[in-house]
Amino acid sequence: MLSSRPDISFAVNYLSRFQNGATDTHWAYLKRVLRYLQGTKDFRLVYTKQDEGGEPIIGFADADWDWGNDVDTRHSTSGYLFQIFGNTVAWTSRKQTTVSLSSTEAEYESLSQAACDAIWVKNLLSEFGVVLRSPLIIHKDNQSCIHIAEEPRDQKRMKHLDIRYNFIRECIQDKIIKLQYIATSHQLADVLTKSLPAGPLKHHRASLGLRGGVKEQP
């Protein structure tokens, strides 16, 4: 999951929460994950050369649609990933540390976490001689989150998010990050925040660059 299988990140993140108190239900879920891995054991991340003119780094950030989905703690799940020259190189699925009061707040939390890693990825890439001339694009599928980050008119309602709010605002104003809306059906980070039906899972899996039956290069 950490190095080659982002498609099972959410499942591993979720099941790891019950290591000290697992039940038969969790064991049944785990066996479903193992069966999935058995059926896709030849899948791996495939890196390809991108055509010139594309964005060097693109990020995707998301939170589970049913915020507070964890019935025990009511914490949402953040998911974000980064693609360098069209290839998936970094991803995270993580339970948020605080209880969000709305879906917008949960999305904002995931954006804040993604922004921190985006700066790290950007700095790492610069050490390899790849310097970004334009802001790093992060895709979000929540219009309210984008609106608050770019044009915070209802600041009173988000007053408790002051530190995260100011951090994102500075990143946007300093042209480090640029937010772009993307439809949920194309939000690659969706696979990192929840379990998905077979159709969307296969679509996102392919978009992440996971391929099966790939021959080893000599």
Side-chain angles (χ1 to χ4, degrees):
M1 183 272 286
L2 293 175
S3 59
S4 63
R5 293 300 298 267
D7 53 330
I8 63 168
S9 291
F10 172 74
V12 172
N13 173 273
Y14 179 80
L15 291 172
S16 64
R17 305 172 192 176
F18 304 98
Q19 293 184 83
N20 295 327
T23 65
D24 290 341
T25 300
H26 299 118
W27 175 240
Y29 290 158
L30 175 59
K31 287 193 292 185
R32 291 186 63 180
V33 176
L34 294 176
R35 284 196 295 268
Y36 172 73
L37 288 174
Q38 176 64 22
T40 59
K41 59 184 178 182
D42 63 333
F43 275 59
R44 65 197 70 185
L45 283 174
V46 178
Y47 294 152
T48 58
K49 184 177 180 180
Q50 187 185 53
D51 295 334
E52 294 184 5
E55 294 289 341
I57 308 177
I58 295 178
F60 298 82
D62 195 22
D64 52 335
W65 62 270
D66 186 10
W67 96 91
N69 201 28
D70 190 315
V71 296
D72 297 313
T73 64
R74 291 304 177 186
H75 289 197
S76 299
T77 299
S78 292
Y80 53 92
L81 65 92
F82 296 96
Q83 292 185 330
I84 296 181
F85 295 111
N87 300 293
T88 303
V89 298
W91 57 87
T92 297
S93 178
R94 179 187 304 162
K95 184 170 75 170
Q96 295 182 359
T97 57
T98 58
V99 177
S100 298
L101 302 180
S102 68
S103 58
T104 299
E105 184 176 334
E107 295 281 358
Y108 209 86
E109 171 73 17
S110 71
L111 177 60
S112 176
Q113 295 170 350
C116 293
D117 277 13
I119 294 173
W120 180 83
V121 172
K122 179 181 178 180
N123 292 337
L124 178 64
L125 208 58
S126 67
E127 294 182 10
F128 290 100
V130 180
V131 180
L132 297 184
R133 304 298 181 186
S134 57
L136 191 157
I137 295 175
I138 295 182
H139 293 287
K140 289 289 296 179
D141 60 1
N142 186 285
Q143 294 277 22
S144 297
C145 179
I146 296 175
H147 177 76
I148 291 172
E150 295 181 337
E151 300 179 15
R153 297 174 183 174
D154 298 328
Q155 188 176 351
K156 291 182 180 179
R157 293 191 301 173
M158 307 295 287
K159 196 172 183 179
H160 56 295
L161 293 180
D162 232 4
I163 295 177
R164 287 193 290 270
Y165 159 77
N166 286 322
F167 173 67
I168 296 297
R169 283 290 294 165
E170 286 184 3
C171 289
I172 294 174
Q173 291 174 351
D174 294 341
K175 300 188 183 304
I176 298 174
I177 288 174
K178 179 181 178 180
L179 301 181
Q180 280 190 2
Y181 174 76
I182 189 172
T184 300
S185 58
H186 299 292
Q187 173 58 276
L188 299 189
D190 203 31
V191 73
L192 303 174
T193 64
K194 61 184 75 69
S195 58
L196 297 175
L201 174 61
K202 291 179 181 179
H203 170 73
H204 290 316
R205 189 173 63 192
S207 299
L208 289 171
L210 280 164
R211 303 285 190 275
V214 181
K215 295 181 180 180
E216 296 285 352
Q217 295 296 323

